[in-house]
Amino acid sequence: DAKTTQPNSMESNEEEPVHLPCNHSTISGTDYIHWYRQLPSQGPEYVIHGLTSNVNNRMASLAIAEDRKSSTLILHRATLRDAAVYYCILRDVGGSNYKLTFGKGTLLTVNP
Amino acid sequence: EAQVTQNPRYLITVTGKKLTVTCSQNMNHEYMSWYRQDPGLGLRQIYYSMNVEVTDKGDVPEGYKVSRKEKRNFPLILESPSPNQTSLYFCASSPSDRASTEAFFGQGTRLTVV
């Protein structure tokens, strides 16, 4: 599976935008970019995914670089409830799609 | 409400005493998985199931069994638990195996084996 690299931790202030980066320089043309988050004492939660184009949903936006070697998860207005570990995951159309391979993720701290 | 439900949420048991952690989903999903989460090791897949009566090993299946007799249920069985199985366990389900599909996770079961 192609690998992703994320910063270990990031900090933001409440009600400010947060940009969480992910590098995936070995991404293949058929890899989907998924983001999950894990709030304290909870199971992972799907956030968003995309293939080539930028994506928006009610939780966040996903900006994908033109060469697809990196992507950014954007939380438009961070709240205290957004404090979590954020995981960037690649899922290959041709690979084992039954498994999600979680790395260490980025621990996001949101200051009031 | 669409959800994956695990029980129990917390369990302390002794070495060798058989236990079952239940997982149930109400979304009619075909695919279900079990993961364990350990500090420094992240989430690792234990077993997965593609449909009723179809299961296969994940990355760390030793010491675990699963069954899928009904579509909605996917219990994790520890026949003879050992302390190295002390961990946080998550069940997940998804509607298909397509790479564009999201997975839904349960709230987790924290197991301690003494």
Side-chain angles (χ1 to χ4, degrees):
Chain A
D1 290 335
K3 191 175 174 173
T4 63
T5 305
Q6 301 177 250
N8 290 333
S9 63
M10 290 186 65
E11 204 168 320
S12 75
N13 297 318
E14 202 174 6
E15 298 195 5
E16 290 184 357
V18 181
H19 291 235
L20 296 161
C22 180
N23 286 319
H24 28 79
S25 58
T26 59
I27 191 171
S28 77
T30 52
D31 281 335
Y32 278 79
I33 303 159
H34 285 248
W35 283 82
Y36 283 75
R37 71 180 185 181
Q38 188 172 17
L39 279 64
S41 302
Q42 293 193 26
E45 173 188 32
Y46 166 82
V47 178
I48 200 166
H49 76 274
L51 184 61
T52 56
S53 305
N54 295 344
V55 183
N56 300 298
N57 67 19
R58 64 174 179 81
M59 290 181 70
S61 296
L62 175 60
I64 301 172
E66 199 167 325
D67 63 5
R68 301 211 326 126
K69 293 184 187 300
S70 66
S71 60
T72 303
L73 179 70
I74 302 165
L75 307 179
H76 296 285
R77 289 184 67 199
T79 68
L80 297 178
R81 199 193 169 279
D82 291 321
V85 178
Y86 286 79
Y87 298 98
C88 171
I89 297 167
L90 301 182
R91 300 195 74 184
D92 183 11
V93 167
S96 170
N97 293 319
Y98 312 128
K99 177 174 70 176
L100 289 169
T101 302
F102 289 81
K104 291 185 168 40
T106 297
L107 174 62
L108 175 65
T109 303
V110 180
N111 300 314
Chain B
E1 180 190 354
Q3 57 186 5
V4 177
T5 304
Q6 293 179 228
N7 279 298
R9 292 289 311 278
Y10 302 90
L11 179 59
I12 301 174
T13 190
V14 296
T15 298
K17 185 177 181 182
K18 180 179 178 179
L19 67 92
T20 300
V21 183
T22 64
C23 173
S24 181
Q25 50 94 3
N26 63 359
M27 296 167 280
N28 201 36
H29 287 170
E30 291 187 355
Y31 295 85
M32 298 185 75
S33 294
W34 276 102
Y35 292 81
R36 61 178 288 175
Q37 185 172 32
D38 302 289
L41 296 175
L43 282 106
R44 295 175 292 169
Q45 191 187 55
I46 304 170
Y47 267 95
Y48 61 90
S49 169
M50 296 80 83
N51 213 326
V52 174
E53 302 291 3
V54 184
T55 63
D56 206 347
K57 297 176 181 177
D59 295 324
V60 289
E62 294 76 25
Y64 304 95
K65 283 176 58 177
V66 292
S67 69
R68 188 95 180 271
K69 292 183 168 47
E70 304 166 284
K71 200 172 188 179
R72 62 183 296 126
N73 295 324
F74 190 43
L76 179 69
I77 303 155
L78 284 71
E79 295 268 4
S80 183
S82 63
N84 65 14
Q85 293 178 298
T86 292
S87 187
L88 181 56
Y89 291 87
F90 291 103
C91 179
S93 74
S94 57
S96 81
D97 63 342
R98 291 199 304 271
S100 57
T101 304
E102 67 183 272
F104 296 79
F105 284 80
Q107 292 287 79
T109 295
R110 186 167 292 282
L111 172 65
T112 302
V113 183
V114 299

